[in-house]
Amino acid sequence: MSSSGIIPSASTTSTTNALKKGKWPPLRTTFMASIVALGSSFSFGFQLLITNPAQGAFIKFLNASKHSNNPDDAIIAHLENQWSVIVAIFFLGSMTGAFFIKIVAERFGRKKGIMLAIITQITSSLLAITSYWIVNHYLFAFARFTMGMGIAVAMGIAAMFVTESSPAHCRGIASLLNGVCLQSSLTIGAVLAMPKLLGTEDLWWTLYLFQLTINTVVLCILPVVHESPSYLASQEVKHHDIFKSKVTESVKFYHEIPYEDAERIADTLISTHQISRSQETIFSVWRSPFNRRGTLLGMMVTVAMAMSGITVINAFAFEILMDVGMEQDTAAFANAFICVFSLAGIMVSTWIIDHFGRRPLIISTFGFLTIVNVAIISLMWAYSETQNQIVSYLLISSICMFNFLFAMGPGPISMFITGELVPQTSRSASSVWTNAVMAAVRFLTLTSYLPVKNLTSEPIAYAIFFIIPMFLNASKHSNDPDDAIIAHLDNQCRFLPLTSYLPVKNLTSEPIAYAIFFIIPMIVVVVVLYFLLPETKGRNVEEI
């Protein structure tokens, strides 16, 4: 491999005008992308949402489990904090699973690797269902951990599978099918997990039965699709004719072109990938400047995606809606309505991503998301101060706009941009880092957001009312010890903390915590990506 980490040209034969029948991917490519998305990103989005509207049912389950395992435990007030940890364990599993992406993808291949990951998800669903019947939250937490592992491996390999199998001219739309499934699952999860439907104390286990059914269907269909042609072309050649035939058949299957044209593309792929069959490791990927740059940019996009505010909105949107005065059922319907905007955003993205390109779309949406986040913070503060229902409606509208913009840009693009920035020999290693850092950021955000929100309330309010006045008082006495107005001021100011300390404490919590987590990182990312992110639309790695 060259020092740049770029293998010689793979040719752009597959994207010649003769083969371009339109921007939409060939039918079989669309079918494959849809199936692997159902087994990966659909499961991811579904798991993100079901714990939100059904949180009350899950907390009752946690309460029952704690009492059945420890009848003397009376710390019921800590249930919500313990539940937030269980929710975050999913991302701890995702972070762990990310480090298995390369091992599974290279040892078993793209197709079989996804099948193995789906089997893990099916096992996890069975464990979650079992935890309901034996009333054991420890088993449920373990099921969420293994579910996170299986979904992380499936999502990492799915992105590579679609990127390597799709013709370059429609690779963006094919990759976006992962995002379409994810956003669809958010809406489906938000609806099914409503307290009026399956999100009840007696029925929440059926949510996992639903996912188990989807994964089982995908597992049964996957054997009929072909392995990635790029992966096949990178394997060791034992019998050349059989080897070339497999690659050719895979190209013909996904590109839907005559055998002769597929054979020419197969020859190019084989000559390209056989020059260096050695795959980069998760450590050697950092040695090449080109691979390092692509991996770092991919990591930055995924971190920015996770730090855009979507983690908290996915996990706590139901609570936010309840906080602005909605009843439980109304909040559940509103939460589902908000998710519809995500679906609308991804549908818009499918029409524009291969027209405008990745770079302008992701930079512009990140920029607009920063503005929307400022609006969300301002409206949170305004509602907590005024309790005005109009402000609450504006806040809900802002969240809808956030979901629309997120689904149009960062959400789907972050799932495949790394695969377009590095060569085939580095994709699995780079995918490990991007998926691991995304899961780590989501895990840390979920476990620390509420504590930081609480920490930013009491100390700031205390400083406003007690620390700063004490400092000014001491300064005034040191400069004018004979000032007799101090006692008068002290008597007047005693009334102020008693009447306004708690309101100010509440005002300084949510907006400040939201700003710390989701404003500053977004500003930094927009600046960095503007100067460093290359365009990948319709371009192979060697062209970049």
Side-chain angles (χ1 to χ4, degrees):
M1 180 179 293
S2 63
S3 60
S4 67
I6 306 175
I7 37 187
S9 176
S11 176
T12 56
T13 307
S14 62
T15 59
T16 57
N17 292 332
L19 299 179
K20 288 186 181 180
K21 300 178 181 179
K23 289 293 184 180
W24 194 259
L27 185 60
R28 289 171 185 164
T29 302
T30 304
F31 175 74
M32 178 274 294
S34 302
I35 290 300
V36 299
L38 278 174
S40 55
S41 56
F42 184 92
S43 298
F44 180 70
F46 191 73
Q47 284 297 315
L48 283 182
L49 253 292
I50 60 173
T51 56
N52 188 354
Q55 178 173 299
F58 283 114
I59 289 180
K60 288 180 180 178
F61 161 75
L62 174 61
N63 186 19
S65 174
K66 286 187 64 176
H67 277 275
S68 63
N69 289 282
N70 185 8
D72 298 326
D73 186 2
I75 316 178
I76 305 302
H78 294 164
L79 282 174
E80 287 192 0
N81 290 337
Q82 294 175 16
W83 173 245
S84 68
V85 173
I86 293 176
V87 172
I89 282 176
F90 173 79
F91 293 106
L92 187 61
S94 296
M95 184 172 59
T96 305
F99 289 97
F100 287 92
I101 293 174
K102 176 177 170 55
I103 298 173
V104 175
E106 301 305 332
R107 180 170 298 181
F108 298 98
R110 306 330 189 206
K111 184 176 77 171
K112 291 182 180 178
I114 292 178
M115 293 175 69
L116 181 61
I118 291 175
I119 291 173
T120 304
Q121 295 178 47
I122 291 174
T123 304
S124 301
S125 295
L126 290 172
L127 289 175
I129 293 171
T130 303
S131 73
Y132 167 82
W133 292 107
I134 67 174
V135 193
N136 191 304
H137 69 283
Y138 296 109
L139 181 60
F140 180 78
F142 178 72
R144 282 190 62 79
F145 179 84
T146 55
M147 182 69 76
M149 287 185 61
I151 290 177
V153 174
M155 289 184 67
I157 299 178
M160 291 186 283
F161 196 177
V162 175
T163 297
E164 294 170 1
S165 303
S166 306
H169 71 275
C170 60
R171 191 176 56 212
I173 294 179
S175 297
L176 274 183
L177 290 175
N178 264 314
V180 171
C181 273
L182 192 152
Q183 303 304 331
S184 300
S185 67
L186 293 177
T187 305
I188 293 172
V191 172
L192 292 182
M194 285 181 181
K196 287 288 187 181
L197 294 177
L198 303 181
T200 67
E201 188 177 359
D202 297 327
L203 293 176
W204 66 257
W205 65 273
T206 58
L207 295 168
Y208 286 89
L209 180 62
F210 175 80
Q211 183 177 338
L212 186 151
T213 303
I214 296 291
N215 287 332
T216 302
V217 171
V218 172
L219 187 63
C220 293
I221 294 177
L222 268 176
V224 306
V225 303
H226 283 243
E227 179 58 274
S228 153
S230 294
Y231 174 78
L232 291 173
S234 67
Q235 299 306 293
E236 181 181 358
V237 180
K238 294 182 179 179
H239 304 285
H240 184 269
D241 291 340
I242 298 176
F243 173 79
K244 180 179 177 180
S245 176
K246 287 183 178 179
V247 179
T248 304
E249 287 294 338
S250 180
V251 173
K252 181 177 180 294
F253 180 85
Y254 289 117
H255 292 222
E256 296 185 7
I257 54 178
Y259 190 88
E260 295 75 15
D261 293 332
E263 193 172 30
R264 285 195 292 271
I265 296 175
D267 286 334
T268 303
L269 286 173
I270 292 170
S271 62
T272 297
H273 293 300
Q274 287 298 312
I275 291 177
S276 176
R277 291 182 50 254
S278 60
Q279 296 289 320
E280 298 282 6
T281 68
I282 60 174
F283 300 108
S284 66
V285 74
W286 297 107
R287 295 172 188 162
S288 161
F290 185 85
N291 293 341
R292 183 168 61 246
R293 177 191 177 99
T295 303
L296 285 173
L297 284 172
M299 290 171 65
M300 175 161 285
V301 172
T302 54
V303 168
M305 178 272 295
M307 293 297 292
S308 65
I310 194 64
T311 302
V312 167
I313 288 177
N314 285 155
F316 303 120
F318 186 71
E319 286 76 13
I320 292 174
L321 295 173
M322 295 279 286
D323 289 341
V324 296
M326 287 190 176
E327 298 294 331
Q328 184 185 60
D329 293 340
T330 306
F333 281 107
N335 187 41
F337 177 73
I338 288 172
C339 291
V340 172
F341 281 82
S342 297
L343 188 58
I346 191 69
M347 297 310 295
V348 171
S349 189
T350 60
W351 291 102
I352 64 176
I353 191 166
D354 277 327
H355 178 71
F356 292 104
R358 284 60 151 161
R359 173 186 158 83
L361 183 58
I362 198 166
I363 292 176
S364 60
T365 49
F366 267 138
F368 283 120
L369 282 174
T370 305
I371 298 172
V372 173
N373 276 338
V374 173
I376 290 175
I377 291 172
S378 303
L379 291 168
M380 282 180 177
W381 181 86
Y383 181 81
S384 61
E385 182 178 9
T386 65
Q387 301 295 308
N388 190 304
Q389 203 62 39
I390 295 178
V391 176
S392 71
Y393 292 144
L394 291 174
L395 176 59
I396 295 170
S397 300
S398 297
I399 296 175
C400 290
M401 179 57 66
F402 177 95
N403 272 13
F404 179 83
L405 291 170
F406 178 85
M408 192 171 66
I413 294 178
S414 64
M415 299 171 68
F416 66 86
I417 189 68
T418 307
E420 295 187 345
L421 290 169
V422 297
Q424 193 270 342
T425 54
S426 303
R427 281 180 188 139
S428 57
S430 297
S431 181
V432 168
W433 290 110
T434 53
N435 281 274
V437 74
M438 183 271 289
V441 169
R442 282 182 177 266
F443 173 76
L444 292 174
T445 301
L446 282 179
T447 54
S448 59
Y449 179 76
L450 289 179
V452 168
K453 186 185 80 168
N454 294 330
L455 285 174
T456 55
S457 59
E458 191 83 29
I460 291 177
Y462 194 89
I464 291 173
F465 284 102
F466 305 121
I467 302 298
I468 297 175
M470 286 177 65
F471 172 77
L472 294 175
N473 188 22
S475 174
K476 192 171 182 69
H477 272 284
S478 65
N479 290 286
D480 189 6
D482 297 327
D483 188 353
I485 305 178
I486 299 300
H488 175 67
L489 290 175
D490 182 66
N491 290 332
Q492 281 190 327
C493 291
R494 284 182 186 274
F495 178 71
L496 182 61
L498 290 176
T499 56
S500 54
Y501 174 73
L502 289 178
V504 170
K505 169 176 167 288
N506 293 331
L507 286 177
T508 56
S509 57
E510 191 91 30
I512 289 180
Y514 200 93
I516 290 173
F517 277 93
F518 309 126
I519 296 296
I520 299 174
M522 294 289 288
I523 295 174
V524 173
V525 165
V526 169
V527 173
V528 173
L529 292 182
Y530 179 80
F531 289 103
L532 296 181
L533 183 67
E535 180 56 71
T536 61
K537 182 191 74 171
R539 302 169 69 191
N540 294 320
V541 173
E542 55 270 20
E543 294 174 313
I544 297 174

